[in-house]
């Protein structure tokens, strides 16, 4: 990540009293629970820049240690479909017996393999859904059968000089198996100007970018605003930071309001984000929720990490999305397996021979405007004469 600025961690010494935290000229409210052994302290605006800087520097330092990263992700997805979407699924993908349920629960399992070389800007992503989705009546739990859903598979390789993508081109619907594949070579994908990660692919590093912007860049903006105005507040919704201490673990809860509608007349015109960062995991984020100004849920995320060779990597991530009626519409549970950090990844991992093509599969080079057939025995491409 050549565009990322490097910051130096500032040493912050914080002394906590159970009732009142005192610095000359400043008072900080604190509370403690004897039953839990936890103390909670409200951070003043004067101290906020130091706390924001601490979190940003620790996360940035951890992220910048990721040179190569590979592993697997076991994903379980639950989606609740209603209205027109439920009708479409019922008629085209289930056995379509009986009346259309008011809501359909779609359950899907997905396996992801990935490899990243940050210095070379190479990203390999392989997704495979071996079994078709399962469809259930969301109220009764009755299995609705599966007549139209098929396995899903895709492999993509993103590089600064080209983009490769392979998908199923023909499926044996009777046996529910992929019988033919097709690969395409295109110009390189565009990058997000905020993260410099490729657009359009599920780069695992996006886990470290809650809100589509790096924490250190976001906190820099917050610090500048606090330093300039002395506070952040919208119509009574205030920016807040709380420090929670329990034993040797320190957590910072950051509550940030924002305006999503210029009318600013209704609680739904505001969004409240709550993020929690924990010293247990190098101050990486462990929880993030997005609610309306009235407290109705929009999104929720929870994170677990493991420490491998001095780098915190995600171990489990659960995301929840809520629909227009603020009911749970999508839940994704991702478990990271075989995380490997800063191990050499062979160059061929990011070439066409790693697209999982089979004998005779189609390969189209849109850059050269040529078509090929894959030769499995030699891992080569044979051009098709037009």
């Amino acid at each position: 990540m050549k565009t990322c600025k490097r910051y130096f961690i500032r040493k912050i010494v914080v002394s906590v009293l159970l009732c009142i935290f005192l610095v000359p000229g400043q008072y900080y409210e604190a509370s403690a629970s004897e039953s839990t052994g936890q103390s909670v302290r409200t951070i003043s605006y004067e101290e906020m820049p130091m706390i924001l800087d601490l979190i940003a520097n620790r996360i940035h330092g951890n992220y910048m240690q990721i040179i190569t990263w590979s592993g697997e992700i076991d994903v379980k997805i639950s989606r609740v479909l209603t209205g027109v979407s439920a009708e479409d699924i019922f008629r085209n993908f289930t056995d379509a017996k009986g009346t259309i349920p008011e809501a359909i629960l779609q359950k899907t399992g997905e396996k992801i393999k990935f490899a990243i070389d940050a210095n070379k800007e190479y990203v390999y992503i392989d997704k495979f859904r071996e079994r078709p989705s399962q469809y259930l009546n969301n109220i009764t739990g009755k299995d609705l059968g599966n007549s139209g859903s098929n396995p899903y598979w895709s492999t993509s390789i993103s590089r600064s000089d080209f983009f490769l993508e392979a998908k199923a081109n023909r499926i044996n619907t009777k046996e529910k198996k992929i019988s033919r594949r097709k690969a395409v070579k295109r110009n390189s994908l565009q990058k997000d100007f905020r993260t410099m990660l490729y657009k359009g692919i599920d780069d695992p590093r996006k886990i470290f970018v809650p809100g589509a912007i790096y924490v250190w860049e976001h906190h820099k903006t917050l610090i500048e605003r606090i330093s300039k105005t002395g506070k952040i507040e919208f119509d009574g919704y205030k920016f807040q930071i709380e420090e929670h201490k329990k034993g040797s673990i320190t957590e910072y809860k950051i509550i940030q309001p924002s305006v999503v509608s210029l009318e600013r007349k209704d609680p739904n015109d505001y969004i409240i984000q709550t993020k929690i960062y924990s010293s247990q995991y190098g101050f990486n984020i462990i929880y993030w929720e997005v609610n309306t100004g009235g407290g109705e849920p929009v999104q929720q995320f929870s994170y677990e990490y493991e420490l491998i060779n001095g780098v915190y990597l995600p171990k489990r991530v659960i995301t929840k999305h809520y629909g227009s009626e603020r009911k749970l519409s999508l839940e994704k549970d991702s478990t990271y397996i075989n995380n490997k950090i800063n191990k050499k990844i062979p160059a061929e991992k990011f070439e066409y021979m790693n697209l999982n093509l089979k004998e005779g599969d189609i390969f189209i080079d849109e850059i050269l405007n040529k078509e090929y057939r894959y030769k499995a025995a030699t891992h080569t491409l044979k051009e098709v004469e037009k």
Side-chain angles (χ1 to χ4, degrees):
M1 305 308 299
K2 299 178 181 178
T3 59
C4 296
K5 298 180 179 178
R6 294 191 174 274
Y7 295 81
F8 295 93
I9 301 175
R10 300 175 181 173
K11 294 182 179 180
I12 303 173
V13 180
V14 181
S15 300
V16 180
L17 299 178
L18 292 180
C19 297
I20 298 177
F21 178 85
L22 181 63
V23 172
Q26 301 294 337
Y27 294 87
Y28 303 86
E29 294 182 358
S31 63
S33 171
E34 293 182 359
S35 60
T36 63
Q38 177 174 297
S39 65
V40 181
R41 181 169 70 91
T42 300
I43 303 298
S44 73
Y45 274 109
E46 288 77 10
E47 192 183 358
M48 283 183 184
M50 290 190 298
I51 301 300
L52 292 170
D53 207 28
L54 167 66
I55 296 169
N57 285 329
R58 292 290 298 275
I59 294 175
H60 185 243
N62 183 78
Y63 182 83
M64 292 302 290
Q65 291 186 73
I66 301 174
I67 307 304
T68 66
W69 178 23
S70 63
E72 303 171 28
I73 311 174
D74 185 3
V75 184
K76 293 180 175 61
I77 303 171
S78 297
R79 188 189 307 270
V80 178
L81 303 152
T82 58
V84 176
S85 297
E87 291 181 20
D88 179 66
I89 288 293
F90 184 78
R91 297 185 192 281
N92 298 305
F93 293 91
T94 75
D95 292 344
K97 295 180 180 179
T99 59
I100 301 174
E102 181 179 334
I104 294 176
L105 173 62
Q106 178 184 1
K107 302 180 73 174
T108 306
E110 183 174 80
K111 301 287 186 181
I112 300 175
K113 296 180 181 180
F114 67 91
I116 296 168
D117 189 319
N119 284 343
K120 294 180 180 178
E121 299 181 318
Y122 290 173
V123 180
Y124 164 87
I125 306 290
D126 179 76
K127 294 183 178 182
F128 184 46
R129 297 181 186 178
E130 182 178 8
R131 297 180 180 178
S133 297
Q134 181 182 19
Y135 300 100
L136 307 169
N137 184 313
N138 193 46
I139 297 175
T140 66
K142 179 183 177 182
D143 194 321
L144 302 176
N146 185 331
S147 61
S149 183
N150 293 303
Y152 172 83
W153 163 80
S154 74
T155 302
S156 62
I157 295 173
S158 300
R159 299 173 34 152
S160 58
D161 48 352
F162 58 75
F163 172 67
L164 296 172
E165 184 176 42
K167 291 185 176 181
N169 190 42
R170 188 184 302 166
I171 295 177
N172 184 325
T173 56
K174 185 177 181 180
E175 296 183 3
K176 301 292 184 182
K177 292 183 178 180
I178 298 170
S179 59
R180 185 68 71 186
R181 298 160 175 79
K182 178 182 177 180
V184 179
K185 182 178 182 179
R186 301 187 179 98
N187 289 319
S188 180
L189 295 175
Q190 292 183 339
K191 294 180 180 179
D192 187 303
F193 73 94
R194 294 164 299 184
T195 64
M196 295 308 293
L197 300 179
Y198 294 110
K199 292 182 179 180
I201 62 168
D202 294 327
D203 189 322
R205 288 174 296 178
K206 291 180 180 179
I207 277 301
F208 294 97
V209 195
I213 184 172
Y214 289 117
V215 173
W216 52 91
E217 295 290 350
H218 179 54
H219 282 197
K220 180 182 177 182
T221 302
L222 291 175
I223 291 171
E224 290 174 350
R225 185 166 185 177
I226 292 171
S227 300
K228 183 178 180 179
T229 65
K231 63 178 182 179
I232 299 176
E233 184 176 349
F234 302 103
D235 306 320
Y237 296 101
K238 298 180 179 180
F239 180 84
Q240 303 172 62
I241 299 180
E242 294 177 355
E243 179 186 76
H244 295 243
K245 278 184 173 288
K246 186 173 183 179
S248 61
I249 299 174
T250 300
E251 294 180 355
Y252 289 107
K253 178 191 287 187
I254 298 178
I255 304 170
Q256 181 180 353
S258 58
V259 179
V260 293
S261 173
L262 295 178
E263 293 185 5
R264 298 169 73 158
K265 296 179 179 179
D266 185 271
N268 290 324
D269 296 335
Y270 303 87
I271 285 293
I272 310 299
Q273 296 189 63
T274 301
K275 298 176 182 178
I276 300 177
Y277 301 89
S278 176
S279 65
Q280 184 177 5
Y281 302 113
F283 284 107
N284 278 286
I285 190 168
I286 62 170
Y287 183 75
W288 174 29
E289 70 175 22
V290 182
N291 296 327
T292 67
E296 295 180 325
V298 178
Q299 293 177 326
Q300 293 176 352
F301 307 81
S302 61
Y303 308 79
E304 296 176 18
Y305 302 86
E306 59 181 341
L307 184 63
I308 301 179
N309 296 331
V311 181
Y312 287 100
L313 297 172
K315 183 177 181 180
R316 189 182 183 193
V317 179
I318 299 176
T319 67
K320 297 180 180 181
H321 300 263
Y322 295 82
S324 57
E325 296 181 0
R326 304 310 175 193
K327 294 181 179 180
L328 184 63
S329 60
L330 174 66
E331 180 173 346
K332 182 185 290 187
D333 188 340
S334 303
T335 301
Y336 290 70
I337 306 167
N338 297 326
N339 271 323
K340 295 180 181 178
I341 188 73
N342 297 337
K343 302 291 184 181
K344 185 177 180 180
I345 301 177
E348 55 267 25
K349 186 76 171 180
F350 307 98
E351 296 286 355
Y352 72 84
M353 64 279 294
N354 198 37
L355 289 174
N356 297 309
L357 299 178
K358 306 300 181 183
E359 178 68 29
D361 282 346
I362 301 169
F363 183 98
I364 296 177
D365 189 328
E366 294 185 352
I367 300 174
L368 299 177
N369 192 27
K370 292 184 178 182
E371 183 173 329
Y372 303 85
R373 291 294 181 271
Y374 184 71
K375 308 298 292 182
T378 57
H379 303 291
T380 57
L381 299 172
K382 182 178 180 180
E383 184 175 354
V384 177
E385 298 295 336
K386 295 184 180 180

